[in-house]
Amino acid sequence: MRLLRPAVTVPIALVLVLAALGTVAALLSARAAGTARDALGDTGPALAGVALPDDGSAGPSTVVLTPSAAAFPRAAEIRDLVQRQIDARNAGDFVGWVSTSSATSVASVSAAQFAEQNRTVKVGSPILRRIDPVGGGEYVVPTGWITTQDPAAAPPDVPAARLCWQVSLTVVTERGQLKIVDPLAGSSLRTPCG
């Protein structure tokens, strides 16, 4: 009968509850990542709805919305969030980037890493294709943009001066504010775009 004493049963119950919560969190994370991968859409080298600048640049940094994305009730708010993050990246503004990023994203990138990652990168021609609610204040936002960078700063598998990106952004609600989660593995595609 010693096993039924509160000093034994309470810790066992807490361990079981925490294990169940961990399992639920893992399932929800996998579902969000799967939704993000499914939302990538067109996987060709050209970005749907974006003309490739002839001058070799990334194009203007102003975020545009497709009619589908614009019809979403929180479209203006999400567009503003993405715009502020792109502006921060283009300016090398770590504090501005932090203000738009989720806590997990901020915890994984130092100011020095941010500066090195964005040293030569310019983001342009951003387009939000759709805004898909996942639940719980979370959204998947299939996007496209172009970057220019020193080829040495490009992803190692595509060392190009200009890349066309298709990224399925995850936007979450933290403390009542929308924040962008750094793209998860498998949620972005990039190809050289001349």
Side-chain angles (χ1 to χ4, degrees):
M1 286 309 222
R2 292 184 144 202
L3 290 177
L4 297 178
R5 295 178 66 189
V8 174
T9 56
V10 170
I12 290 172
L14 286 174
V15 167
L16 292 174
V17 167
L18 289 174
L21 288 174
T23 301
V24 168
L27 290 172
L28 289 175
S29 175
R31 184 181 81 155
T35 301
R37 281 190 301 276
D38 293 343
L40 279 170
D42 175 24
T43 58
L47 300 173
V50 175
L52 195 61
D54 291 331
D55 62 1
S57 73
S61 63
T62 303
V63 176
V64 298
L65 299 121
T66 65
S68 175
F72 190 74
R74 297 187 80 178
E77 189 179 359
I78 290 172
R79 184 214 161 278
D80 178 61
L81 174 70
V82 174
Q83 184 69 64
R84 288 185 294 119
Q85 185 164 89
I86 288 172
D87 290 346
R89 286 187 62 196
N90 284 342
D93 177 6
F94 181 67
V95 173
W97 176 82
V98 165
S99 73
T100 63
S101 298
S102 70
T104 56
S105 297
V106 171
S108 67
V109 178
S110 69
Q113 289 169 320
F114 176 84
E116 181 56 29
Q117 291 168 357
N118 293 284
R119 182 176 52 81
T120 68
V121 176
K122 291 298 177 205
V123 180
S125 306
I127 184 169
L128 306 187
R129 292 193 182 104
R130 284 191 329 271
I131 301 171
D132 299 324
V134 177
E138 185 174 325
Y139 307 91
V140 173
V141 185
T143 64
W145 59 69
I146 298 170
T147 61
T148 57
Q149 61 276 312
D150 178 339
D157 59 326
V158 281
R162 185 163 71 165
L163 294 171
C164 286
W165 292 80
Q166 296 176 66
V167 180
S168 191
L169 290 179
T170 300
V171 175
V172 295
T173 303
E174 292 181 351
R175 296 184 181 141
Q177 303 249 333
L178 293 178
K179 302 288 182 173
I180 298 172
V181 178
D182 271 356
L184 302 169
S187 65
S188 64
L189 299 171
R190 66 264 175 163
T191 56
C193 52

